[in-house]
């Protein structure tokens, strides 16, 4: 094998060096595309395809609602909350609706709020979501309680006065080391600190496409203002986009009250894509995918051109071998395995070169390693939230394997195209070729 490899390298030194350089460049080009595709493939943990998103605005300065007494149109009362909910539920096809005021750190929002949580002297930061009590939060989003936890309907009815919280599976494991934590207590290090009881645990979910945090603590609060946002769940089997097109106006009319009205309605998936666009994530993802595709096309053309020049020199050799009985299949296999071995050796060398660069970017802050030269989403992640992307060696080896497969397939295809042309040449023409 050593002799064969030496012969191949002597005959194809420039092609080998070209593939080494291509490997280094391909690593830098394909890494963002691979990571972005992986992040987008992660499940959200809730059925966003059956959800609608609506924003409201307040009508006028005052509303005459109770015994002709002017009522503040911004104040949300239990009566107003139930009125809005009933009007939405009266629309055919609506299964549930959730009303909330502040979407900072909530489901379907790109920014994350955190709480310092303390258990047995250990303090961890968990993502925070304040959900409105008795507003159908868990059933509307379709969040699934773990066995031993109250139902979604019961969790949605938790009162902000009861000092109870709900954790995701990852949040429970991060704090207590187990998911069976119903009834256990923890301290939220606010000003002042206070103790709360875990009322339930739900399956992991992510708040948006770009957010990979799954260790989440959810606290009930009071719905205070009428200029709230709605998440509306449709019944199973309904298409959200078609529903907006066909029944959007009816839904907007149902959301019209004496104190507020729906100002914008869209599918929840469109809302998530808009968040990506607003944060610049969409442009970054599209740019990485476009650059990877452009590089792949040019890589294919470069390999075909280089292989063609090398294969052309072997036209006469192919003619002689065919004259002595070599088959076209045998000649094609000879072209392919030689270049595959060459590509494998070049990728190994190229990845070692890139490894030195990638490893030089490791920085340690507060005991945590950060990889300045590897592509990851910025943000705070607990160990339970991390995937292979956030660890150096799995990240490097996985991307290297994908780069190897891409270059190997490109070399094989780029070799097969000119090789088939050359070995298909008539023997007499091949022997006359100079």
């Amino acid at each position: 094998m050593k002799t064969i490899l030496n012969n191949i390298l002597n005959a194809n030194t420039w092609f080998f060096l070209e593939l080494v350089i291509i490997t280094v460049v391909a690593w830098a080009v394909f890494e963002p595309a691979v990571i972005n595709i992986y992040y987008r493939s992660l499940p959200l943990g809730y059925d966003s395809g059956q959800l609608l998103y609506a924003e409201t605005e307040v009508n006028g300065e005052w509303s005459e609602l109770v015994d002709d007494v002017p009522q503040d149109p911004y104040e949300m009362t239990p009566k107003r909350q139930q009125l809005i909910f009933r009007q939405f539920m009266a629309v055919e096809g609506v299964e549930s609706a959730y009303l909330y005021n502040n979407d900072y750190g909530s489901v379907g929002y790109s920014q994350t709020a955190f709480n310092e949580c303390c258990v047995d002297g250990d303090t961890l930061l968990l993502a925070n979501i304040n959900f409105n009590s008795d507003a159908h939060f868990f059933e509307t989003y379709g969040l699934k309680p773990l066995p031993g936890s109250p139902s979604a309907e019961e969790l949605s009815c938790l009162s902000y006065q009861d000092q109870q919280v709900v954790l995701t599976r990852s949040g429970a494991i991060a704090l207590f080391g187990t998911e069976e934590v119903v009834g256990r207590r923890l301290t939220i290090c606010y000003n002042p600190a206070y103790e709360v009881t875990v009322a339930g645990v739900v399956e992991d979910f992510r708040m948006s496409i770009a957010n990979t945090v799954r260790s989440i603590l959810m606290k009930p609060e009071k719905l205070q203002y009428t200029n709230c946002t709605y998440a509306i769940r449709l019944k199973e089997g309904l298409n959200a986009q078609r529903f907006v097109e066909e029944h959007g106006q009816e839904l907007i009319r149902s959301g019209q009250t004496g104190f507020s009205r729906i100002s914008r309605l869209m599918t929840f998936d469109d809302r998530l894509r808009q968040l990506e666009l607003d944060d610049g994530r969409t442009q970054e993802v599209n740019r990485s995918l476009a650059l990877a595709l452009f590089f792949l096309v040019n890589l294919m053309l470069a390999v075909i051109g280089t292989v063609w020049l090398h294969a052309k020199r072997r036209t006469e050799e192919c003619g002689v071998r065919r004259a002595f009985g070599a088959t076209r299949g045998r000649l094609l296999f000879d072209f392919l395995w030689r270049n595959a071995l060459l590509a494998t050796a070049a990728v190994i060398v190229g990845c070692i070169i890139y490894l030195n660069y990638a490893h030089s970017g490791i920085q340690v802050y507060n005991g945590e390693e950060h990889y300045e030269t590897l592509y990851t989403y910025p943000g705070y992640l607990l160990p339970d939230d991390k995937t292979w992307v956030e660890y150096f060696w799995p990240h490097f080896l996985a991307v290297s394997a994908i780069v190897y497969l891409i270059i190997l397939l490109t070399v094989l295809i780029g070799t097969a195209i000119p090789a088939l042309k050359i070995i298909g040449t008539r023997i007499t023409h091949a022997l006359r070729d100079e």
Side-chain angles (χ1 to χ4, degrees):
M1 180 61 70
K2 181 179 179 181
T3 302
I4 293 173
L5 184 59
N6 286 335
N7 292 334
I8 294 174
L9 291 179
N10 290 334
N12 300 278
T13 302
W14 288 110
F15 186 38
F16 174 79
L17 293 176
E18 179 184 337
L19 287 177
V20 170
I21 296 172
I22 285 174
T23 299
V24 175
V25 177
W27 223 103
V29 171
F30 287 121
E31 184 199 15
V34 169
I35 302 307
N36 280 315
I37 291 173
Y38 171 74
Y39 276 139
R40 286 200 165 193
S41 70
L42 292 174
L44 286 171
Y46 55 92
D47 185 10
S48 62
Q50 295 295 117
L51 288 174
L52 302 181
Y53 172 85
E55 292 178 358
T56 64
E57 60 184 20
V58 173
N59 284 329
E61 297 182 357
W62 294 97
S63 299
E64 301 285 336
L65 287 180
V66 181
D67 299 327
D68 293 329
V69 176
Q71 301 293 311
D72 186 351
Y74 285 91
E75 181 184 359
M76 178 63 76
T77 63
K79 183 176 180 180
R80 287 175 167 179
Q81 182 176 338
Q82 290 303 315
L83 171 63
I84 296 172
F85 182 76
R86 286 197 305 270
Q87 290 183 171
F88 278 137
M89 294 301 294
V91 178
E92 185 177 358
V94 172
E95 182 176 293
S96 183
Y98 171 63
L99 288 64
Y100 59 106
N101 288 136
N102 186 2
D103 58 359
Y104 181 80
S106 69
V107 180
Y109 196 69
S110 57
Q111 300 299 317
T112 306
F114 290 97
N115 273 136
E116 283 191 356
C117 302
C118 183
V119 175
D120 297 330
D122 295 326
T123 301
L124 288 176
L125 282 175
L126 260 62
N128 175 71
I129 291 178
N130 291 331
F131 67 91
N132 294 308
S133 178
D134 200 24
H136 312 280
F137 172 73
F138 290 92
E139 58 266 43
T140 298
Y141 283 110
L143 305 182
K144 302 175 181 61
L146 269 58
S149 293
S151 67
E153 291 79 6
E154 291 173 311
L155 292 177
S156 292
C157 292
L158 292 177
S159 171
Y160 66 95
Q161 298 173 329
D162 295 338
Q163 301 294 293
Q164 292 181 309
V165 298
V166 180
L167 298 172
T168 58
R169 183 195 296 268
S170 290
I173 294 174
L175 285 174
F176 298 98
T178 176
E179 61 190 46
E180 298 177 358
V181 297
V182 175
R184 298 185 66 170
R185 297 183 67 79
L186 62 103
T187 300
I188 296 179
C189 304
Y190 200 61
N191 191 16
Y194 60 96
E195 278 196 343
V196 294
T197 303
V198 179
V201 182
V202 299
E203 292 287 358
D204 285 342
F205 65 93
R206 297 188 297 129
M207 290 177 276
S208 63
I209 297 173
N211 197 321
T212 60
V213 176
R214 301 185 303 275
S215 296
I216 303 171
L217 178 143
M218 291 157 279
K219 298 179 296 185
E221 67 174 6
K222 182 180 179 181
L223 188 60
Q224 297 179 339
Y225 307 107
T226 59
N227 58 331
C228 52
T229 304
Y230 310 145
I232 303 167
R233 172 161 293 280
L234 302 178
K235 292 181 179 178
E236 190 68 30
L238 293 180
N239 181 280
Q241 186 62 52
R242 186 177 302 170
F243 189 91
V244 170
E245 294 171 357
E246 297 178 356
H247 305 285
Q249 291 304 313
E250 179 185 358
L251 199 62
I252 289 174
R253 285 194 298 272
S254 298
Q256 178 81 27
T257 66
F259 46 85
S260 68
R261 65 182 182 87
I262 293 179
S263 59
R264 184 165 63 155
L265 177 68
M266 64 179 72
T267 68
F268 205 82
D269 285 337
D270 285 342
R271 166 64 175 170
L272 294 177
R273 285 190 286 269
Q274 182 192 49
L275 290 175
E276 273 200 309
L277 183 64
D278 293 343
D279 291 342
R281 288 292 311 144
T282 301
Q283 297 91 324
E284 185 177 349
V285 171
N286 291 342
R287 184 168 56 249
S288 67
L289 296 178
L291 183 59
L293 180 60
F294 177 79
F295 182 82
L296 184 61
V297 171
N298 282 274
L299 173 61
M300 180 73 71
L301 295 176
V303 169
I304 291 175
T306 304
V307 172
W308 179 271
L309 292 176
H310 286 278
K312 188 70 174 174
R313 299 170 187 170
R314 299 181 59 192
T315 301
E316 186 176 359
E317 175 193 338
C318 290
V320 172
R321 292 182 62 182
R322 286 188 58 201
F324 280 91
T327 63
R328 287 188 174 92
R330 176 63 187 179
L331 293 175
L332 177 61
F333 177 77
D334 185 57
F335 272 105
L336 292 177
W337 82 265
R338 283 174 178 268
N339 282 348
L341 186 59
L342 189 70
T344 301
V347 170
I348 291 174
V349 174
C351 286
I352 291 175
I353 293 173
Y354 200 90
L355 174 61
N356 292 325
Y357 165 71
H359 199 270
S360 68
I362 297 180
Q363 304 291 332
V364 179
Y365 304 115
N366 298 323
E368 289 285 331
E369 286 188 347
H370 297 268
Y371 313 121
E372 306 293 337
T373 51
L374 293 183
Y375 182 92
T376 57
Y377 281 4
Y380 173 84
L381 290 175
L382 287 171
D384 291 293
D385 298 330
K386 293 182 178 180
T387 63
W388 60 268
V389 172
E390 283 79 34
Y391 296 96
F392 183 85
W393 282 109
H395 184 129
F396 181 82
L397 293 175
V399 175
S400 295
I402 293 172
V403 168
Y404 170 65
L405 291 176
I406 292 173
I407 291 180
L408 180 62
L409 289 174
T410 303
V411 168
L412 291 178
I413 295 172
T415 300
I417 293 174
L420 288 172
K421 177 71 174 177
I422 290 170
I423 64 179
T425 305
R426 290 183 180 182
I427 296 177
T428 53
H429 290 173
L431 293 175
R432 288 200 306 267
D433 190 78
E434 298 180 357

